[in-house]
Amino acid sequence: MTIVTVPAQRVPAERRGRTEIPERVLTRIATQAAGEVPHVHDVRERGGLLRARPSDTRVHDELAVIKLDVAIDYPAPLRDVVWQIRRHVARRVHELTGMDVAQVNVTVTSLRTAGSKE
């Protein structure tokens, strides 16, 4: 028995298939990345209640808009920490998914001192 192989046509990578990344995965990446920033104590996906929608990341025209709730250590320069969160989250999401981030909206929900149990 002779096996004949037919050479595969060269199909450009962008036409070989489709990759979908759910918004909840983008949110998970964003929350992990925000937690990597110094002085960030806790990161919650927006709407942390059980009945709330678990993700507040939206994708519009290949641009992600991410919303995060964070607790930051006290005393830390809030404006600087939030700027670092935005920059780091946008970079990490792009590195891991190839998706561009249009906005990272950060709400500081609390400040945590060293002995705080919140």
Side-chain angles (χ1 to χ4, degrees):
M1 177 158 120
T2 304
I3 298 176
V4 177
T5 58
V6 178
Q9 291 180 338
R10 295 279 183 199
V11 178
E14 65 273 7
R15 294 183 50 204
R16 289 186 200 148
R18 188 169 134 178
T19 301
E20 292 184 20
I21 302 171
E23 291 174 344
R24 71 180 183 279
V25 172
L26 292 172
T27 300
R28 181 60 61 118
I29 292 169
T31 57
Q32 292 288 338
E36 295 169 358
V37 175
H39 300 294
V40 174
H41 183 72
D42 189 26
V43 183
R44 293 192 183 107
E45 295 174 8
R46 177 78 41 100
L49 300 174
L50 292 176
R51 288 177 277 172
R53 191 158 193 257
S55 171
D56 211 11
T57 298
R58 301 283 185 258
V59 178
H60 303 284
D61 298 324
E62 299 298 318
L63 289 173
V65 175
I66 300 167
K67 297 179 182 178
L68 300 170
D69 290 343
V70 299
I72 295 177
D73 291 333
Y74 178 84
L78 297 180
R79 188 178 297 246
D80 292 343
V81 174
V82 170
W83 180 83
Q84 289 174 22
I85 292 168
R86 286 187 180 115
R87 190 170 135 238
H88 187 67
V89 167
R91 184 175 52 233
R92 293 290 283 161
V93 167
H94 182 72
E95 285 173 356
L96 295 175
T97 68
M99 186 167 293
D100 290 323
V101 177
Q103 292 179 346
V104 178
N105 297 315
V106 178
T107 301
V108 178
T109 58
S110 64
L111 298 175
R112 305 280 174 99
T113 59
S116 167
K117 294 183 181 180
E118 282 186 57

CSV table of all heavy atoms in Angstrom, one decimal, residues 54-95:
chain,number,residue,atom,x,y,z
A,54,PRO,N,-20.5,38.8,37.0
A,54,PRO,CA,-19.2,38.6,37.5
A,54,PRO,C,-18.1,39.4,36.8
A,54,PRO,O,-17.0,39.5,37.3
A,54,PRO,CB,-19.0,37.1,37.3
A,54,PRO,CG,-19.9,36.8,36.2
A,54,PRO,CD,-21.1,37.7,36.3
A,55,SER,N,-18.4,40.0,35.6
A,55,SER,CA,-17.3,40.7,34.9
A,55,SER,C,-17.8,42.1,34.5
A,55,SER,O,-19.0,42.2,34.1
A,55,SER,CB,-16.9,39.9,33.6
A,55,SER,OG,-16.1,40.7,32.8
A,56,ASP,N,-16.9,43.0,34.6
A,56,ASP,CA,-17.3,44.4,34.1
A,56,ASP,C,-16.3,44.8,33.1
A,56,ASP,O,-16.0,46.0,32.9
A,56,ASP,CB,-17.4,45.4,35.3
A,56,ASP,CG,-18.4,46.4,35.0
A,56,ASP,OD1,-19.1,46.3,34.0
A,56,ASP,OD2,-18.4,47.4,35.7
A,57,THR,N,-15.7,43.8,32.4
A,57,THR,CA,-14.8,44.1,31.3
A,57,THR,C,-15.7,44.0,30.0
A,57,THR,O,-16.5,43.1,29.9
A,57,THR,CB,-13.7,43.1,31.2
A,57,THR,OG1,-12.9,43.1,32.4
A,57,THR,CG2,-12.8,43.3,30.0
A,58,ARG,N,-15.5,45.0,29.2
A,58,ARG,CA,-16.3,45.0,27.9
A,58,ARG,C,-15.3,45.1,26.8
A,58,ARG,O,-14.2,45.8,26.9
A,58,ARG,CB,-17.2,46.2,27.9
A,58,ARG,CG,-18.2,46.2,29.0
A,58,ARG,CD,-19.3,45.2,28.7
A,58,ARG,NE,-20.3,45.4,29.7
A,58,ARG,CZ,-20.5,44.6,30.8
A,58,ARG,NH1,-19.7,43.5,30.9
A,58,ARG,NH2,-21.4,44.7,31.7
A,59,VAL,N,-15.6,44.5,25.6
A,59,VAL,CA,-14.8,44.6,24.5
A,59,VAL,C,-15.6,45.3,23.4
A,59,VAL,O,-16.7,44.8,23.1
A,59,VAL,CB,-14.2,43.3,24.0
A,59,VAL,CG1,-13.4,43.4,22.7
A,59,VAL,CG2,-13.4,42.6,25.1
A,60,HIS,N,-15.1,46.4,22.8
A,60,HIS,CA,-15.7,47.1,21.7
A,60,HIS,C,-14.7,47.3,20.6
A,60,HIS,O,-13.7,48.0,20.9
A,60,HIS,CB,-16.2,48.5,22.2
A,60,HIS,CG,-17.2,48.4,23.4
A,60,HIS,ND1,-18.5,48.0,23.3
A,60,HIS,CD2,-17.0,48.6,24.7
A,60,HIS,CE1,-19.0,48.0,24.5
A,60,HIS,NE2,-18.1,48.4,25.3
A,61,ASP,N,-15.0,46.8,19.4
A,61,ASP,CA,-14.1,47.0,18.3
A,61,ASP,C,-12.6,46.7,18.6
A,61,ASP,O,-11.7,47.4,18.4
A,61,ASP,CB,-14.2,48.4,17.8
A,61,ASP,CG,-15.6,48.8,17.3
A,61,ASP,OD1,-16.2,47.9,16.7
A,61,ASP,OD2,-16.0,50.0,17.5
A,62,GLU,N,-12.5,45.5,19.2
A,62,GLU,CA,-11.1,45.0,19.6
A,62,GLU,C,-10.4,45.8,20.7
A,62,GLU,O,-9.2,45.7,20.8
A,62,GLU,CB,-10.2,44.9,18.3
A,62,GLU,CG,-10.8,43.9,17.3
A,62,GLU,CD,-10.9,42.4,17.8
A,62,GLU,OE1,-10.0,42.0,18.5
A,62,GLU,OE2,-11.9,41.8,17.5
A,63,LEU,N,-11.1,46.7,21.4
A,63,LEU,CA,-10.5,47.4,22.5
A,63,LEU,C,-11.2,47.0,23.8
A,63,LEU,O,-12.5,47.0,23.8
A,63,LEU,CB,-10.7,48.9,22.2
A,63,LEU,CG,-9.9,49.5,21.1
A,63,LEU,CD1,-10.3,51.0,20.9
A,63,LEU,CD2,-8.4,49.5,21.5
A,64,ALA,N,-10.5,46.7,24.8
A,64,ALA,CA,-11.0,46.3,26.1
A,64,ALA,C,-11.2,47.6,27.0
A,64,ALA,O,-10.3,48.4,27.0
A,64,ALA,CB,-10.1,45.3,26.7
A,65,VAL,N,-12.3,47.6,27.7
A,65,VAL,CA,-12.5,48.6,28.8
A,65,VAL,C,-12.7,47.8,30.0
A,65,VAL,O,-13.6,47.0,30.2
A,65,VAL,CB,-13.8,49.4,28.5
A,65,VAL,CG1,-14.0,50.4,29.6
A,65,VAL,CG2,-13.6,50.2,27.2
A,66,ILE,N,-11.8,48.0,31.0
A,66,ILE,CA,-11.7,47.2,32.2
A,66,ILE,C,-12.1,48.1,33.4
A,66,ILE,O,-11.6,49.2,33.5
A,66,ILE,CB,-10.3,46.6,32.4
A,66,ILE,CG1,-10.0,45.7,31.2
A,66,ILE,CG2,-10.2,45.9,33.7
A,66,ILE,CD1,-8.6,45.3,31.1
A,67,LYS,N,-12.9,47.6,34.3
A,67,LYS,CA,-13.2,48.3,35.5
A,67,LYS,C,-12.9,47.4,36.7
A,67,LYS,O,-13.3,46.3,36.8
A,67,LYS,CB,-14.7,48.6,35.6
A,67,LYS,CG,-15.1,49.6,34.4
A,67,LYS,CD,-16.6,49.8,34.5
A,67,LYS,CE,-17.0,50.7,33.3
A,67,LYS,NZ,-18.5,51.0,33.3
A,68,LEU,N,-12.1,48.0,37.7
A,68,LEU,CA,-11.7,47.2,38.8
A,68,LEU,C,-12.0,48.0,40.1
A,68,LEU,O,-11.9,49.2,40.1
A,68,LEU,CB,-10.2,47.0,38.7
A,68,LEU,CG,-9.7,46.2,37.5
A,68,LEU,CD1,-8.2,46.2,37.5
A,68,LEU,CD2,-10.1,44.8,37.6
A,69,ASP,N,-12.2,47.3,41.2
A,69,ASP,CA,-12.3,47.8,42.5
A,69,ASP,C,-11.1,47.4,43.3
A,69,ASP,O,-10.8,46.2,43.3
A,69,ASP,CB,-13.6,47.3,43.3
A,69,ASP,CG,-14.9,47.9,42.7
A,69,ASP,OD1,-14.8,48.9,41.9
A,69,ASP,OD2,-15.9,47.3,42.9
A,70,VAL,N,-10.4,48.3,43.9
A,70,VAL,CA,-9.2,47.9,44.6
A,70,VAL,C,-9.1,48.5,46.0
A,70,VAL,O,-9.7,49.6,46.3
A,70,VAL,CB,-7.9,48.4,43.8
A,70,VAL,CG1,-7.8,47.8,42.5
A,70,VAL,CG2,-7.8,49.9,43.7
A,71,ALA,N,-8.4,47.8,46.9
A,71,ALA,CA,-8.1,48.3,48.2
A,71,ALA,C,-6.6,48.6,48.2
A,71,ALA,O,-5.8,47.8,47.7
A,71,ALA,CB,-8.4,47.3,49.3
A,72,ILE,N,-6.2,49.8,48.7
A,72,ILE,CA,-4.8,50.2,48.6
A,72,ILE,C,-4.3,50.4,50.0
A,72,ILE,O,-5.0,50.8,50.9
A,72,ILE,CB,-4.7,51.5,47.8
A,72,ILE,CG1,-5.0,51.2,46.3
A,72,ILE,CG2,-3.2,52.0,47.9
A,72,ILE,CD1,-5.0,52.4,45.4
A,73,ASP,N,-3.0,50.0,50.2
A,73,ASP,CA,-2.4,50.2,51.5
A,73,ASP,C,-2.3,51.7,51.9
A,73,ASP,O,-2.2,52.6,51.1
A,73,ASP,CB,-1.0,49.7,51.5
A,73,ASP,CG,-0.9,48.2,51.4
A,73,ASP,OD1,-1.9,47.5,51.9
A,73,ASP,OD2,0.1,47.7,50.9
A,74,TYR,N,-2.5,52.0,53.2
A,74,TYR,CA,-2.4,53.3,53.7
A,74,TYR,C,-1.1,53.4,54.5
A,74,TYR,O,-0.8,52.5,55.3
A,74,TYR,CB,-3.6,53.7,54.6
A,74,TYR,CG,-3.5,55.0,55.2
A,74,TYR,CD1,-4.0,56.1,54.5
A,74,TYR,CD2,-3.0,55.2,56.5
A,74,TYR,CE1,-3.9,57.4,55.0
A,74,TYR,CE2,-2.9,56.5,57.0
A,74,TYR,CZ,-3.3,57.6,56.3
A,74,TYR,OH,-3.2,58.8,56.8
A,75,PRO,N,-0.3,54.4,54.4
A,75,PRO,CA,-0.5,55.6,53.5
A,75,PRO,C,0.3,55.3,52.2
A,75,PRO,O,1.5,55.0,52.3
A,75,PRO,CB,0.2,56.7,54.3
A,75,PRO,CG,1.3,56.0,55.1
A,75,PRO,CD,0.7,54.6,55.4
A,76,ALA,N,-0.3,55.4,51.1
A,76,ALA,CA,0.3,55.2,49.8
A,76,ALA,C,-0.2,56.4,48.9
A,76,ALA,O,-1.3,56.8,49.1
A,76,ALA,CB,0.0,53.9,49.2
A,77,PRO,N,0.6,56.8,48.0
A,77,PRO,CA,0.2,57.9,47.1
A,77,PRO,C,-0.8,57.4,46.1
A,77,PRO,O,-0.5,56.7,45.2
A,77,PRO,CB,1.5,58.4,46.4
A,77,PRO,CG,2.4,57.2,46.5
A,77,PRO,CD,2.0,56.4,47.8
A,78,LEU,N,-2.1,57.6,46.4
A,78,LEU,CA,-3.2,57.0,45.6
A,78,LEU,C,-3.1,57.3,44.1
A,78,LEU,O,-3.2,56.4,43.3
A,78,LEU,CB,-4.5,57.5,46.1
A,78,LEU,CG,-4.9,57.1,47.6
A,78,LEU,CD1,-6.2,57.7,48.0
A,78,LEU,CD2,-4.8,55.7,47.8
A,79,ARG,N,-2.9,58.5,43.8
A,79,ARG,CA,-2.8,58.9,42.4
A,79,ARG,C,-1.7,58.1,41.7
A,79,ARG,O,-1.9,57.6,40.6
A,79,ARG,CB,-2.5,60.4,42.2
A,79,ARG,CG,-2.6,60.8,40.8
A,79,ARG,CD,-2.4,62.3,40.7
A,79,ARG,NE,-3.5,63.0,41.4
A,79,ARG,CZ,-4.4,63.8,40.9
A,79,ARG,NH1,-4.4,64.0,39.6
A,79,ARG,NH2,-5.3,64.4,41.6
A,80,ASP,N,-0.5,57.9,42.3
A,80,ASP,CA,0.6,57.2,41.7
A,80,ASP,C,0.3,55.7,41.6
A,80,ASP,O,0.6,55.1,40.6
A,80,ASP,CB,1.9,57.4,42.5
A,80,ASP,CG,2.4,58.8,42.5
A,80,ASP,OD1,2.0,59.5,41.5
A,80,ASP,OD2,3.2,59.1,43.3
A,81,VAL,N,-0.3,55.1,42.7
A,81,VAL,CA,-0.7,53.7,42.7
A,81,VAL,C,-1.7,53.4,41.6
A,81,VAL,O,-1.6,52.4,40.8
A,81,VAL,CB,-1.1,53.2,44.1
A,81,VAL,CG1,-1.6,51.8,44.0
A,81,VAL,CG2,0.0,53.4,45.1
A,82,VAL,N,-2.7,54.2,41.5
A,82,VAL,CA,-3.8,54.0,40.5
A,82,VAL,C,-3.1,54.1,39.1
A,82,VAL,O,-3.5,53.4,38.2
A,82,VAL,CB,-4.9,55.0,40.7
A,82,VAL,CG1,-5.9,54.9,39.5
A,82,VAL,CG2,-5.7,54.6,42.0
A,83,TRP,N,-2.2,55.1,38.9
A,83,TRP,CA,-1.6,55.2,37.6
A,83,TRP,C,-0.8,53.9,37.2
A,83,TRP,O,-0.8,53.4,36.1
A,83,TRP,CB,-0.7,56.4,37.6
A,83,TRP,CG,0.1,56.6,36.3
A,83,TRP,CD1,-0.4,57.3,35.2
A,83,TRP,CD2,1.4,56.2,36.0
A,83,TRP,NE1,0.6,57.2,34.2
A,83,TRP,CE2,1.7,56.6,34.7
A,83,TRP,CE3,2.4,55.5,36.7
A,83,TRP,CZ2,2.9,56.3,34.0
A,83,TRP,CZ3,3.6,55.2,36.1
A,83,TRP,CH2,3.8,55.6,34.8
A,84,GLN,N,-0.1,53.4,38.3
A,84,GLN,CA,0.7,52.2,38.1
A,84,GLN,C,-0.2,51.0,37.7
A,84,GLN,O,0.1,50.1,36.9
A,84,GLN,CB,1.5,51.9,39.3
A,84,GLN,CG,2.7,52.8,39.5
A,84,GLN,CD,3.4,52.5,40.8
A,84,GLN,OE1,3.3,51.4,41.4
A,84,GLN,NE2,4.1,53.5,41.3
A,85,ILE,N,-1.4,50.9,38.4
A,85,ILE,CA,-2.4,49.9,38.1
A,85,ILE,C,-2.8,50.0,36.6
A,85,ILE,O,-2.8,49.0,35.9
A,85,ILE,CB,-3.6,50.0,39.0
A,85,ILE,CG1,-3.2,49.7,40.5
A,85,ILE,CG2,-4.7,49.1,38.6
A,85,ILE,CD1,-4.3,50.0,41.5
A,86,ARG,N,-3.2,51.2,36.2
A,86,ARG,CA,-3.7,51.3,34.8
A,86,ARG,C,-2.6,50.9,33.8
A,86,ARG,O,-2.9,50.2,32.9
A,86,ARG,CB,-4.0,52.8,34.6
A,86,ARG,CG,-5.3,53.2,35.2
A,86,ARG,CD,-5.7,54.6,34.7
A,86,ARG,NE,-7.0,55.0,35.4
A,86,ARG,CZ,-7.1,55.9,36.3
A,86,ARG,NH1,-6.0,56.7,36.6
A,86,ARG,NH2,-8.3,56.2,36.8
A,87,ARG,N,-1.4,51.3,34.0
A,87,ARG,CA,-0.3,51.0,33.1
A,87,ARG,C,0.0,49.5,33.1
A,87,ARG,O,0.2,48.9,32.0
A,87,ARG,CB,0.9,51.9,33.5
A,87,ARG,CG,2.0,51.8,32.5
A,87,ARG,CD,3.1,52.9,32.9
A,87,ARG,NE,4.4,52.2,32.7
A,87,ARG,CZ,5.3,52.0,33.7
A,87,ARG,NH1,5.1,52.5,34.8
A,87,ARG,NH2,6.4,51.4,33.4
A,88,HIS,N,0.1,49.0,34.3
A,88,HIS,CA,0.5,47.5,34.4
A,88,HIS,C,-0.6,46.6,33.9
A,88,HIS,O,-0.3,45.7,33.1
A,88,HIS,CB,0.9,47.2,35.9
A,88,HIS,CG,1.4,45.8,36.0
A,88,HIS,ND1,2.6,45.5,35.5
A,88,HIS,CD2,0.9,44.7,36.6
A,88,HIS,CE1,2.9,44.2,35.8
A,88,HIS,NE2,1.8,43.7,36.5
A,89,VAL,N,-1.8,46.9,34.2
A,89,VAL,CA,-2.9,46.1,33.7
A,89,VAL,C,-3.0,46.1,32.2
A,89,VAL,O,-3.1,45.1,31.5
A,89,VAL,CB,-4.3,46.5,34.4
A,89,VAL,CG1,-5.4,45.9,33.7
A,89,VAL,CG2,-4.3,46.1,35.8
A,90,ALA,N,-2.9,47.3,31.6
A,90,ALA,CA,-3.0,47.4,30.1
A,90,ALA,C,-1.9,46.7,29.5
A,90,ALA,O,-2.1,46.0,28.5
A,90,ALA,CB,-3.0,48.9,29.7
A,91,ARG,N,-0.7,46.8,30.0
A,91,ARG,CA,0.5,46.1,29.5
A,91,ARG,C,0.3,44.6,29.6
A,91,ARG,O,0.5,43.8,28.6
A,91,ARG,CB,1.8,46.6,30.1
A,91,ARG,CG,3.0,45.9,29.5
A,91,ARG,CD,4.3,46.5,30.1
A,91,ARG,NE,4.3,46.4,31.5
A,91,ARG,CZ,4.6,47.4,32.3
A,91,ARG,NH1,4.9,48.6,31.8
A,91,ARG,NH2,4.6,47.3,33.6
A,92,ARG,N,-0.1,44.1,30.7
A,92,ARG,CA,-0.2,42.6,30.9
A,92,ARG,C,-1.3,42.0,30.1
A,92,ARG,O,-1.2,41.0,29.5
A,92,ARG,CB,-0.5,42.3,32.4
A,92,ARG,CG,0.7,42.6,33.3
A,92,ARG,CD,1.9,41.7,33.1
A,92,ARG,NE,1.5,40.4,33.8
A,92,ARG,CZ,2.2,39.3,33.5
A,92,ARG,NH1,3.1,39.3,32.6
A,92,ARG,NH2,1.8,38.2,34.1
A,93,VAL,N,-2.5,42.7,30.0
A,93,VAL,CA,-3.6,42.2,29.1
A,93,VAL,C,-3.1,42.1,27.7
A,93,VAL,O,-3.3,41.2,27.0
A,93,VAL,CB,-4.8,43.1,29.3
A,93,VAL,CG1,-5.8,42.8,28.2
A,93,VAL,CG2,-5.4,42.9,30.7
A,94,HIS,N,-2.4,43.2,27.2
A,94,HIS,CA,-1.9,43.2,25.9
A,94,HIS,C,-0.8,42.0,25.7
A,94,HIS,O,-0.9,41.3,24.6
A,94,HIS,CB,-1.3,44.5,25.5
A,94,HIS,CG,-0.8,44.6,24.1
A,94,HIS,ND1,-1.7,44.6,23.0
A,94,HIS,CD2,0.4,44.5,23.5
A,94,HIS,CE1,-1.0,44.6,21.9
A,94,HIS,NE2,0.3,44.6,22.2
A,95,GLU,N,0.1,41.9,26.6
A,95,GLU,CA,1.1,40.8,26.5
A,95,GLU,C,0.5,39.4,26.4
A,95,GLU,O,0.9,38.6,25.6
A,95,GLU,CB,2.0,40.8,27.7
A,95,GLU,CG,3.0,42.0,27.8
A,95,GLU,CD,3.8,42.0,29.1
A,95,GLU,OE1,3.5,41.2,30.0
A,95,GLU,OE2,4.7,42.9,29.2
